[in-house]
Amino acid sequence: MSPKLIRRAVEALEKFKIETPSWGFADTGTRFGKFFQDAAAIDVNDKLADAGQVHRLTGCCPTVAVHVLWDFKKGEDPKAVARLARKHGVRIGAINPNLFQEQCYKWGSFGNQDAAIRRHALRHCYDSIAIGKAVGSEFISLWFADGTSYPGQESIRDRKHRFETCLKACHARLAPGQTMLVEYKPFEPAFYATDIADWGMAYVLSKKAGPRAKVLVDTGHHYQAQNIEQIVAFLLDENMLGGFHFNDRRYADDDLTLGSIDPYQVFRIFHEIHAFAADRGAAPDIAYMIDQCHNEKPKIEATIQTVVIAQELYAKAALVNHEKLRRAQARNDVVTAELELKKAFFTDVAPALAAWRRRHELPSDPLAEHRRSGYERRAATERRARRQALGLVQGGSFA
Ligand code: PSV
Ligand code: MN
């Protein structure tokens, strides 16, 4: 890399932060069961400690997304969780209400025919907004498991109308400075018609909810071969892109490590963001978040791996020469235009990452440093003993 390119990539990295998910540090599984890990987080303190370890080593994950039902005890002061986060060197990021786990949500939350259940879901959202306000969080992040599994089961339009009303009510309660993110997903757990199935539905519902509602793009929530960067470019241009849940996939919502299957796609997404910023003269305000649950890898290692690849791909995308690209596009020189992207994608950005890490006094290799630190072994020993004392199921160890 030339010194000029290193400078450009380092400058881009200065602006790149990515949020870790609290749930990514705890034991998770598939619909077929769970394989427990000794070092997995047991409670919110463990999750925030693990997120703190990731941030300490990578320097770009200052916030942690939380799931209200999983991370906040009923009646507990949310500020106590914010204090815990601070103790571990991080802050609370997006607040995720849980509108899918309670038995009452069998037929949905905001889409439910029963007004009492819709009110129950709304109350939970209002409580989540209040938690966000108490902990100084900017984002309330909404994902709905709502939908139907059989043709004819319910009126698709009636469910849409209920969503419009409830999302509007939720938006009206936002605290100053809060943004509401609306996530979409084509299927699962509903298998016929998910109520917010794609970006178009999330866009329309966000628009109707109010000016502070934006679309959240979870990269795993698309059909095979869908052009995600086109969705990103479109939403950016409409000022409707609120944030990302990053993960990779091979088949469906697989929650694989970002870039493990298709790093070029992540690069192309970042390219659209850099190109938009170049045209506008300012980087758009986007919440970059990870949404991955690792069942086969140690969770902290997988998270560090994700963060590092995200930084690499973000830096690579920053190397695209936009003037050259525009010139090639103007003369319909498809080959030169495509090669401009490929050249940036295949550039080894290790010198830029090394320079950025030196500047911030971070370890040159966060993953190696994590392995050297013995954190995983200590966590496994301590958490194994705590599980035993609490009578929880024991797991296996990577340590
Ligand atoms: C649903 O699959 C989802 O992507 C939503 O963002 C949830 O909040 C998260 O996963 C929970 O794991
Ligand atoms: Mn998600």
Side-chain angles (χ1 to χ4, degrees), residues 38-278:
D38 281 344
I42 301 172
D43 54 25
V44 70
N45 181 58
D46 297 343
K47 294 176 192 173
L48 293 168
D50 294 356
Q53 168 77 350
V54 173
H55 182 47
R56 225 177 349 271
L57 298 170
T58 61
C60 78
C61 308
T63 56
V64 187
V66 287
H67 239 285
V68 175
L69 226 54
W70 305 335
D71 295 325
F72 293 87
K73 290 200 194 85
K74 256 205 153 51
E76 181 189 51
D77 179 9
K79 288 203 167 88
V81 177
R83 275 197 297 276
L84 264 188
R86 270 202 301 281
K87 183 179 113 194
H88 293 297
V90 285
R91 281 178 286 115
I92 301 297
I95 308 289
N96 291 251
N98 187 309
L99 299 160
F100 48 91
Q101 248 184 339
E102 285 177 64
Q103 286 299 309
C104 66
Y105 295 139
K106 176 167 181 183
W107 308 115
S109 57
F110 281 11
N112 203 305
Q113 298 190 57
D114 185 337
I117 293 168
R118 295 203 297 279
R119 273 198 304 277
H120 178 75
L122 263 176
R123 257 197 312 275
H124 178 63
C125 288
Y126 298 158
D127 290 347
S128 303
I129 289 171
I131 289 177
K133 198 173 159 197
V135 302
S137 162
E138 246 182 279
F139 297 102
I140 177 104
S141 196
L142 299 172
W143 173 70
F144 300 89
D146 287 53
T148 51
S149 287
Y150 292 93
Q153 185 178 327
E154 252 211 74
S155 159
I156 293 172
R157 280 174 296 112
D158 285 357
R159 294 187 69 92
K160 170 177 175 280
H161 297 158
R162 292 179 209 128
F163 261 89
E164 287 170 2
T165 310
C166 290
L167 286 170
K168 209 182 246 171
C170 200
H171 186 282
R173 285 286 188 109
L174 290 177
Q178 278 183 337
T179 298
M180 183 169 122
L181 302 173
V182 180
E183 185 172 353
Y184 57 91
K185 184 172 180 175
F187 71 94
E188 199 197 28
F191 289 112
Y192 171 62
T194 296
D195 288 328
I196 311 184
D198 64 23
W199 73 273
M201 298 182 203
Y203 171 93
V204 169
L205 289 169
S206 299
K207 271 279 185 213
K208 288 188 171 176
R212 285 192 280 147
K214 298 264 148 69
V215 178
L216 187 146
V217 177
D218 183 315
T219 46
H221 293 186
H222 299 88
Y223 293 117
Q224 292 284 15
Q226 205 162 354
N227 185 337
I228 303 176
E229 64 268 27
Q230 184 179 19
I231 296 171
V232 167
F234 210 97
L235 289 172
L236 273 171
D237 201 58
E238 292 294 327
N239 189 27
M240 284 301 283
L241 179 66
F244 285 96
H245 272 178
F246 278 123
N247 48 61
D248 211 339
R249 53 77 76 77
R250 181 68 186 82
Y251 297 102
D253 188 20
D254 305 341
D255 270 354
L256 300 181
T257 311
L258 187 71
S260 58
I261 303 292
D262 189 356
Y264 192 41
Q265 180 181 74
V266 186
F267 167 90
R268 296 190 307 265
I269 290 173
F270 284 145
H271 162 62
E272 288 304 330
I273 295 167
H274 287 307
F276 178 82

Side-chain angles (χ1 to χ4, degrees), residues 13 16-19 54-55 58-62 307 311 356 362:
L13 288 170
F16 185 70
K17 302 272 178 288
I18 189 161
E19 184 162 300
V54 173
H55 182 47
T58 61
C60 78
C61 308
V307 174
Q311 285 188 300
W356 182 81
L362 291 161

